[in-house]
Amino acid sequence: RAGALVRAATERPDLLKCFGGNVDRLISGTFFCATGLAGLAGALAAPIRSISPFMGQEMIALTFAVVVAGGMGSIAGSVLMGFIVGVVSALAAIWYPPVAVAITDFIVLVVLVVRPGGIFRGVDISNFPLHYTPMTERARRIFLSPRLSLVTLAVAVVLPWIIYPVVATDIILWGLCALGFDLLFAFAGLLSFGQAAYWGAAAYITGVLVSHFGFPGWSGFLLGVVGSTTIGVVFGFIIAQKKGISFAMITFAF
């Protein structure tokens, strides 16, 4: 019953409130229990792991992958997948350390391609509605006006001359990445964690061609984009067949 109430508070909070359910208490209680478990794991990890301010970054990505591959909402799936990943990654670290992290992504990739719902099929969150807030007509007219487009373009052109050029370039780069993610998630409902693969692939191809093979900058740039796009097409043949959280985690693994 408690699990059903939490699910209801997540999926249909307004309806649950109509039936007298305390949505705030259910969500807060779930959050407190989850943070307590994470805290317990952290305290147990302190004597055996290297402690640093960023030690949680690796853990959260690994935990998310294990839970999804085991089956969202399946306790048995999380335990089994955690055991498999722990043993395999530990053995890989002994035999060939460089693949210890990559082997986890490979296991997740294989599991989700063969069985999209995870080892034990759990909660299918692909049917959860997106909390999408459309633009108002007034905001749309402002943002899509030619005048604002010209002003924005002018600002982008003069920006490197006003502030440090590297900072100006970073602003444009992150804006482009955000635009790509927004097209995927906000418009198509595709939660992709794999955008960094195409960012990194294009950067590596461009850098290697220019610095090691003497290509002109413009040709290295074009070939970097072509190479990254080609990788995206190859990945897409596998990724595009999946939906929901399976789609997200396969992009993460790739």
Side-chain angles (χ1 to χ4, degrees):
R1 184 175 181 274
L5 286 171
V6 171
R7 288 287 305 282
T10 303
E11 296 181 38
R12 301 293 296 275
D14 292 336
L15 186 59
L16 184 61
K17 286 180 181 178
C18 291
F19 282 100
N22 192 326
V23 173
D24 292 338
R25 183 180 298 172
L26 285 166
I27 297 299
S28 299
T30 305
F31 183 83
F32 295 151
C33 289
T35 51
L37 290 172
L40 175 62
L44 294 172
I48 61 173
R49 296 184 68 89
S50 176
I51 301 173
S52 72
F54 305 104
M55 62 185 297
Q57 290 181 352
E58 177 187 353
M59 183 57 66
I60 189 61
L62 179 61
T63 301
F64 194 49
V66 165
V67 168
V68 173
M72 294 286 287
S74 171
I75 302 298
S78 296
V79 172
L80 180 59
M81 194 65 196
F83 182 78
I84 293 172
V85 167
V87 171
V88 173
S89 61
L91 292 175
I94 295 172
W95 292 331
Y96 189 57
V99 302
V101 176
I103 197 69
T104 301
D105 293 329
F106 180 74
I107 294 171
V108 171
L109 181 63
V110 171
V111 169
L112 292 180
V113 167
V114 175
R115 194 172 175 83
I119 295 177
F120 296 99
R121 295 187 187 278
V123 181
D124 181 12
I125 67 169
S126 61
N127 296 320
F128 285 15
L130 291 173
H131 300 286
Y132 177 65
T133 305
M135 294 176 68
T136 63
E137 283 302 318
R138 184 170 181 272
R140 186 183 300 278
R141 285 197 300 270
I142 294 173
F143 276 96
L144 298 183
S145 65
R147 186 178 302 173
L148 182 62
S149 299
L150 290 174
V151 171
T152 306
L153 182 61
V155 170
V157 170
V158 301
L159 197 61
W161 303 94
I162 299 175
I163 63 176
Y164 189 52
V166 175
V167 176
T169 305
D170 255 356
I171 292 172
I172 296 172
L173 294 180
W174 289 116
L176 286 171
C177 284
L179 180 61
F181 185 82
D182 193 39
L183 284 172
L184 273 175
F185 186 50
F187 287 87
L190 300 173
L191 177 57
S192 172
F193 292 123
Q195 291 299 92
Y198 313 118
W199 158 290
Y204 264 92
I205 293 170
T206 301
V208 169
L209 290 178
V210 173
S211 63
H212 288 279
F213 294 97
F215 278 65
W218 64 270
S219 62
F221 167 76
L222 290 176
L223 290 171
V225 174
V226 170
S228 179
T229 304
T230 303
I231 293 171
V233 170
V234 174
F235 286 0
F237 279 110
I238 300 175
I239 295 172
Q241 301 175 24
K242 307 301 177 182
K243 295 180 180 180
I245 198 64
S246 296
F247 172 90
M249 289 312 301
I250 288 177
T251 64
F252 179 80
F254 268 123

